[in-house]
């Protein structure tokens, strides 16, 4: 039997001591030092209103697929959680007129300062937004944001960017709500959006559409980060 107390010492420390150190090129270091820091600022505290600025690629990929249907309905698009205008900008890029509103001013140009629940009539038949998750999830929100959106007279089209797991919740009446108002089209984003600038987004997101003219079962499609017209069209 081997006497473990007399075993040979590890050579790891010797290897580390003799391992050649990388030589830093001073000219290259200076060149990179002059570049701006392109990393998103890390957010350490969650916003009390669950404000998560939407990365533009999430909106653009969705619009590449759904813009024809939105144009078919016609009229402006209402973004009721406009924030800093992160979703408003891609909508304008696609040629849509936008009614932007929010309960607080976060810098979006021409924003209407009015809470979503203060509306008893929609300013547009089309609602597209990334709603505050605390107002639409089953645990805290009981699906309130969706309930209010589909209850507004004249609304024909609702699209929300949400956690892909969101429809799986079955408590606090969310399952009954989705049974009464089935999702028309669901788009799975095949990348993870970094909403909070932490560099390691923990979840996968998707777009969920309620279209008044849709018939039949829920249609499920994929979205890619660099979306274009090849994402696929809509079904009525």
């Amino acid at each position: 039997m081997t006497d473990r107390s007399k075993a040979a010492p590890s050579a790891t420390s010797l290897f580390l001591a003799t391992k050649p150190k990388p030589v830093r090129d001073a000219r290259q270091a200076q060149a990179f030092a002059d570049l701006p820091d392109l990393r998103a600022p890390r957010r350490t505290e969650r916003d009390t209103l669950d404000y998560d600025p939407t990365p533009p690629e999430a909106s653009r990929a969705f619009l590449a697929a759904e813009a024809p249907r939105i144009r078919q309905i016609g009229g402006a698009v209402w973004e009721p959680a406009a924030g800093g205008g992160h979703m408003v900008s891609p909508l304008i890029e696609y040629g849509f007129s936008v009614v932007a509103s929010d309960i607080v001013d976060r810098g979006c140009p021409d924003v209407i300062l009015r809470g979503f629940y203060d509306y008893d009539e929609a300013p547009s038949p089309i609602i597209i937004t990334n709603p505050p998750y605390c107002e639409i999830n089953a645990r805290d929100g009981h699906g309130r944001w969706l309930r209010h959106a589909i209850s507004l007279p004249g609304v024909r089209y609702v699209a929300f960017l949400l956690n892909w797991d969101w429809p799986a919740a079955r408590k606090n009446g969310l399952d009954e709500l989705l049974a009464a108002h089935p999702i028309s089209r669901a788009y799975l984003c095949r990348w993870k959006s970094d909403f909070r600038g932490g560099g390691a987004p923990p979840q996968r997101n998707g777009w969920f559409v309620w279209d008044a003219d849709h018939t039949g079962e829920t249609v499920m499609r994929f979205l890619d980060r660099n979306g274009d017209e090849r994402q696929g069209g809509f079904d009525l």
Side-chain angles (χ1 to χ4, degrees):
M1 249 180 119
T2 303
D3 185 351
R4 294 182 181 273
S5 64
K6 295 181 180 180
S10 171
T12 302
S13 59
L14 177 62
F15 172 76
L16 293 176
T18 58
K19 183 180 179 180
K21 303 296 189 295
V23 178
R24 187 176 184 182
D25 188 320
R27 293 170 300 175
Q28 186 182 50
Q30 181 58 44
F32 279 91
D34 294 335
L35 292 176
D37 186 353
L38 299 179
R39 294 172 297 178
R42 186 177 182 85
R43 289 172 54 185
T44 57
E45 296 183 4
R46 187 168 183 83
D47 185 270
T48 56
L49 297 175
D50 263 2
Y51 171 57
D52 286 320
T54 306
E57 64 268 18
S59 300
R60 290 173 181 143
F62 173 72
L63 291 171
E66 283 282 309
R69 171 57 181 155
I70 300 167
R71 293 191 180 102
Q72 187 181 64
I73 296 172
V77 174
W78 180 23
E79 215 292 42
H86 296 80
M87 193 175 290
V88 172
S89 182
L91 284 165
I92 292 174
E93 288 176 12
Y94 267 76
F96 295 108
S97 298
V98 182
V99 177
S101 66
D102 207 323
I103 196 170
V104 295
D105 187 354
R106 300 184 187 272
C108 178
D110 302 318
V111 67
I112 300 170
L113 291 180
R114 187 177 181 185
F116 182 56
Y117 301 124
D118 293 333
Y119 284 87
D120 54 17
E121 185 176 341
S124 167
I126 303 166
I127 300 175
I128 301 177
T129 191
N130 170 12
Y133 202 65
C134 62
E135 290 296 318
I136 195 169
N137 67 7
R139 186 190 67 184
D140 306 313
H142 299 200
R144 282 189 297 266
W145 197 275
L146 176 60
R147 292 178 193 277
H148 188 64
I150 59 182
S151 73
L152 293 171
V155 170
R156 297 182 58 198
Y157 182 99
V158 175
F160 290 156
L161 176 63
L162 298 167
N163 184 326
W164 184 249
D165 289 337
W166 171 78
R170 301 188 63 187
K171 62 182 180 180
N172 294 330
L174 185 60
D175 51 350
E176 290 93 343
L177 177 63
L178 292 179
H181 302 279
I183 297 165
S184 304
R185 293 180 289 283
Y187 289 90
L188 174 60
C189 298
R190 294 197 282 195
W191 76 95
K192 294 183 178 181
S193 293
D194 189 1
F195 291 92
R196 302 183 192 173
Q203 68 186 30
R204 200 169 297 280
N205 295 92
W207 282 92
F208 300 91
V209 177
W210 291 264
D211 187 334
D213 294 330
H214 177 79
T215 58
E217 297 293 323
T218 300
V219 175
M220 188 269 186
R221 292 199 177 96
F222 296 106
L223 289 182
D224 294 312
R225 186 194 299 267
N226 298 316
D228 56 24
E229 66 277 1
R230 291 171 294 178
Q231 301 278 24
F234 59 88
D235 291 335
L236 293 179

